[in-house]
Amino acid sequence: MVAERRPYVGRFAPSPTGPLHKGSLVAALASWLDARAAGGRWLLRIEDVDEPRCSVAATDTILRQLDALGLHWDGEVVWQSRRTALYRAALDTLIAGGAAYGCACTRRDLESQPLASDGARRYPGTCRDRAGIAPRAWRLRVPAGEVAFDDRVLGRIAVDVAADSGDFVLWRADGYCAYQLAVMVDDADQGVTDIVRGADLLTSTPRQILVQRALGLAQPRYAHVPVVLDANGEKLSKQTRAPALEPADALTDLEEALAFLRHPPPADVVASGREDLLAWAVQRWTLTALSGTR
């Protein structure tokens, strides 16, 4: 018997370490269009769990930018910084079930280890079976074998997380919940069914699926869209000082983002304004146009 599909719930989850740029817009627009084309809800979550790197000013700017673009969200905005108790309860569940364990290793202890695909040092399992240690962090006990999923843009993806990164961090040594755990707790709590985001986050997906499995959570569908590159071939990002989106340029920015997503709008639709442009895009949106891209 085929399980009935849940009503579509998508989300956009920016980190408020700076304003949105053209790369952020591509990810946000793809997610928004996919939700609206499916007649679903689109949620906004501010991923400020890493509080020292985030700011209220950046959050306010992001909200203003999305409003200027016409990418309006459903329901209340969710802030990760206010959800620590949920993350801690999930970690306690993993610890109690033996799926997570304490780690006493420092960065210096791991500096000779090879890099994983996400840029972190591969963990060799030093503390996996050690007893009587004072944990600095908590790690997921990653099972051997590949984690596979069907991406709506890229097709079948399979990654051996154990070989690539080893047991990854769920709770950091500085006392903050790690990204991989926080995101999965939030997605499950908000009933997210579909995640549409940039291909730069593709390496996180197998890890997040492992967290879902360990907590007994439903797995959403994934779609990873191409990332925008600068003139040097590097991903547009806050780290590379990508220019912030300006509200006055919203129509032009939307037109360029749609063209990048292989939905170039006709000139007369652009000339008719933002609302007509977005309505046109919702009617024609399909991820099939991006199939095989990265």
Side-chain angles (χ1 to χ4, degrees), residues 22 25 29 69 244-247 249-258:
K22 290 185 178 183
L25 172 56
L29 182 59
L69 291 160
L245 298 175
E246 295 294 342
D249 299 329
L251 186 60
T252 299
D253 289 337
L254 286 169
E255 178 186 9
E256 291 178 355
L258 283 168

Side-chain angles (χ1 to χ4, degrees), residues 181-264:
L181 176 59
V183 169
M184 289 304 91
V185 170
D186 289 334
D187 285 342
D189 184 63
Q190 294 184 279
V192 172
T193 63
D194 287 78
I195 297 172
V196 180
R197 59 188 180 186
D200 54 316
L201 290 171
L202 181 62
T203 56
S204 288
T205 303
R207 294 161 175 75
Q208 292 171 1
I209 289 173
L210 287 176
V211 174
Q212 292 161 3
R213 292 175 180 175
L215 288 169
L217 305 176
Q219 181 179 316
R221 294 193 302 173
Y222 288 94
H224 292 85
V225 302
V227 297
V228 181
L229 306 179
D230 62 18
N232 297 318
E234 295 182 345
K235 181 184 74 117
L236 278 186
S237 68
K238 297 158 191 172
Q239 289 73 28
T240 58
R241 299 182 180 179
L245 298 175
E246 295 294 342
D249 299 329
L251 186 60
T252 299
D253 289 337
L254 286 169
E255 178 186 9
E256 291 178 355
L258 283 168
F260 182 84
L261 290 166
R262 298 188 178 180
H263 288 71

Side-chain angles (χ1 to χ4, degrees), residues 44-228:
L44 178 61
R45 182 169 71 231
I46 302 299
E47 295 197 338
D48 60 345
V49 68
D50 193 354
E51 294 183 57
R53 298 180 59 244
C54 301
S55 74
V56 174
T59 299
D60 291 341
T61 297
I62 289 170
L63 299 182
R64 288 197 302 271
Q65 289 173 312
L66 290 173
D67 185 62
L69 291 160
L71 304 184
H72 304 304
W73 55 91
D74 299 304
E76 298 294 323
V77 179
V78 167
W79 278 265
Q80 283 189 334
S81 58
R82 304 174 186 177
R83 298 165 67 81
T84 303
L86 284 176
Y87 308 147
R88 187 69 216 191
L91 177 66
D92 289 344
T93 297
L94 293 172
I95 294 171
Y101 64 91
C103 175
C105 296
T106 65
R107 287 188 179 182
R108 178 170 291 184
D109 293 332
L110 303 177
E111 62 185 6
S112 64
Q113 296 299 317
L115 293 176
S117 58
D118 64 352
R121 295 290 176 183
R122 185 187 181 282
Y123 190 66
T126 308
C127 295
R128 211 175 213 249
D129 299 308
R130 290 174 65 185
I133 63 171
R136 300 181 69 255
W138 292 87
R139 294 180 179 271
L140 185 73
R141 196 180 296 274
V142 174
E146 288 187 336
V147 178
F149 66 98
D150 292 314
D151 189 277
R152 296 172 61 203
V153 173
L154 302 175
R156 189 72 167 171
I157 301 292
V159 178
D160 188 334
V161 180
D164 177 44
S165 67
D167 299 338
F168 55 88
V169 171
L170 298 171
W171 204 273
R172 296 170 8 186
D174 59 7
Y176 290 102
C177 183
Y179 169 74
Q180 311 293 11
L181 176 59
V183 169
M184 289 304 91
V185 170
D186 289 334
D187 285 342
D189 184 63
Q190 294 184 279
V192 172
T193 63
D194 287 78
I195 297 172
V196 180
R197 59 188 180 186
D200 54 316
L201 290 171
L202 181 62
T203 56
S204 288
T205 303
R207 294 161 175 75
Q208 292 171 1
I209 289 173
L210 287 176
V211 174
Q212 292 161 3
R213 292 175 180 175
L215 288 169
L217 305 176
Q219 181 179 316
R221 294 193 302 173
Y222 288 94
H224 292 85
V225 302
V227 297
V228 181

